[in-house]
Amino acid sequence: MGQVFAASYLIGLREGLEMVLIVSVLVAYLVKTGRRQHLLPVWAGVGAAAALSIGFGWALSYVSTTVLGGPGQELFDAVTSTLAVVLVTWMVFWMRRTARRLSGELRGKLDGAIGLGVGAVVGIAFLSVAREGLETTLLFFASAQGATTSAPLLGLGAGLLTAVVVGIGLYAGAIRINLSRFFMVSGALLVLVAAGILKYAVHDYQEAGVLPGLSTHAFDASGWLDPGSWYGALAAGLFNITPQPTVLETIAWLAYLVPVLVLFLLPARATRFPARKNSAGSTPAPVVSETTEHVEARA
C-alpha cells in the first residue's frame, strides 16, 4: 500500500490546498463585502468543477482499461503521463510566480463577474477550480498507473481531506502557515514525482514499441534496493525509482529532474503589486495576504 500512497497523498494535499485556497478567497471576499447572496452561485460552480474532474478521471480510466489494450493501452498511458509532466511543470512554476498576487486577481475577476450576473459568478468559480481539478485528475492518473490496490485512491482522498482541514483552519484563523514556503517545498517534491512519471512514460513508450531499448538496462540495483522494503516501496511509489531502469528511462529522469529542479529552486525576483481599490475608492482588507502566508475571513 505504501508504494503509491505517498505520491497520491502529496498530489492530493498540494493540489487540494490550491483549490481550497481559491474557494476560500472567493467565499471570504463575498462575506467581507456583504454580498452573501452570491455564495450559492460560487458553490454551484465549485460543485460543477468537482463533477467535471471526477468524470474526467472516470473517462481516462475507462479508455485505458476497457477501450484500449496491449500496445494501444501502453501508448495511451505514455501520452497521458507526458501531458501530466508538462502540466505539473507549468503549474509549479505558475504558482511560484503568481502566488503573491493570486488573491487580488481572483477578487478582481469576481468583481467583474458579479456585474455581469449570476451565470458569470458560477463561471468564475467553475473555471478557477476546474483547472486545478483537471490537473489533479491527470496527475493522479499518471502517478497511479500500474497500481493493483486501492492505495492511490486512498492516498488522494487523504491528501484532499487534509487540504480541506488545513483550509478550514486557515479560513477561521485557527491555523497560520507560511504558504509560500509550503508551495516551494511541495513544488520541489512534485518535480521529483514528475521526473518519476516521465520515467514511467518512457518505459510505456518502450513497451508500446515507439522507443527502443526496453531490455537495455542502465544498472542493476536489485542487490540492495529491495522493492519489498519500506524504503524501496517509498522510492518506487513516490519517485518511480526502480532496481533495473532502462538507459532511456534514466536519461529522461536526469534530463528532466536536474534542470527543472535547479530552475525551480532559484530565488524568485521580488515584485511589488499595487493594492486594488474597490468601487468606493478604498482598499479592502486582503482575504489572502500578498505574501500568501495566511487566510483571514472574519465577517
Side-chain angles (χ1 to χ4, degrees):
M1 179 174 178
Q3 290 186 357
V4 288
F5 183 90
S8 299
Y9 180 83
L10 175 62
I11 292 169
L13 177 61
R14 161 74 189 226
E15 299 294 306
L17 190 54
E18 288 187 18
M19 287 184 279
V20 169
L21 287 176
I22 288 173
V23 175
S24 296
V25 169
L26 298 176
V27 171
Y29 185 53
L30 291 176
V31 171
K32 276 181 170 290
T33 55
R35 293 180 282 190
R36 293 175 180 266
Q37 69 273 21
H38 296 290
L39 287 176
L40 184 58
V42 165
W43 286 116
V46 171
L52 176 64
S53 301
I54 294 173
F56 181 55
W58 175 85
L60 288 175
S61 179
Y62 179 78
V63 171
S64 176
T65 60
T66 305
V67 177
L68 301 175
Q73 180 181 354
E74 300 294 344
L75 184 58
F76 178 79
D77 291 346
V79 171
T80 54
S81 295
T82 304
L83 290 175
V85 172
V86 173
L87 281 177
V88 74
T89 305
W90 173 84
M91 179 265 296
V92 295
F93 280 99
W94 176 83
M95 179 56 73
R96 180 176 180 265
R97 184 178 66 254
T98 62
R100 292 181 179 273
R101 62 179 187 271
L102 179 61
S103 175
E105 289 183 352
L106 286 172
R107 294 197 304 267
K109 290 179 180 179
L110 187 57
D111 275 334
I114 289 174
L116 295 176
V118 174
V121 176
V122 174
I124 286 296
F126 173 78
L127 293 175
S128 299
V129 177
R131 179 184 62 192
E132 303 295 336
L134 294 176
E135 287 178 358
T136 302
T137 301
L138 184 58
L139 183 57
F140 169 72
F141 176 79
S143 67
Q145 288 178 23
T148 57
T149 68
S150 61
L153 191 59
L154 292 175
L156 181 70
L160 291 173
L161 180 60
T162 304
V164 170
V165 171
V166 172
I168 293 174
L170 289 170
Y171 183 91
I175 299 176
R176 295 175 67 90
I177 63 175
N178 190 319
L179 291 176
S180 295
R181 184 172 299 173
F182 168 81
F183 284 124
M184 177 62 71
V185 174
S186 62
L189 290 175
L190 276 184
V191 169
L192 287 167
V193 171
I197 292 175
L198 180 61
K199 176 177 174 291
Y200 189 91
V202 171
H203 186 81
D204 276 345
Y205 281 124
Q206 289 177 313
E207 288 190 337
V210 176
L211 293 176
L214 181 59
S215 59
T216 307
H217 298 122
F219 55 84
D220 186 355
S222 55
W224 57 271
L225 184 60
D226 181 12
S229 63
W230 69 267
Y231 58 86
L234 183 63
L238 192 55
F239 307 126
N240 199 27
I241 297 177
T242 53
Q244 288 183 309
T246 67
V247 172
L248 283 181
E249 286 180 58
T250 305
I251 292 174
W253 190 81
L254 290 172
Y256 172 85
L257 178 63
V258 174
V260 173
L261 192 58
V262 168
L263 288 174
F264 179 74
L265 294 177
L266 285 176
R269 296 176 59 184
T271 305
R272 293 184 178 273
F273 300 98
R276 181 185 298 273
K277 294 186 177 182
N278 59 23
S279 57
S282 60
T283 302
V287 179
V288 177
S289 67
E290 295 304 327
T291 56
T292 66
E293 292 180 351
H294 68 280
V295 177
E296 183 177 352
R298 296 183 180 90

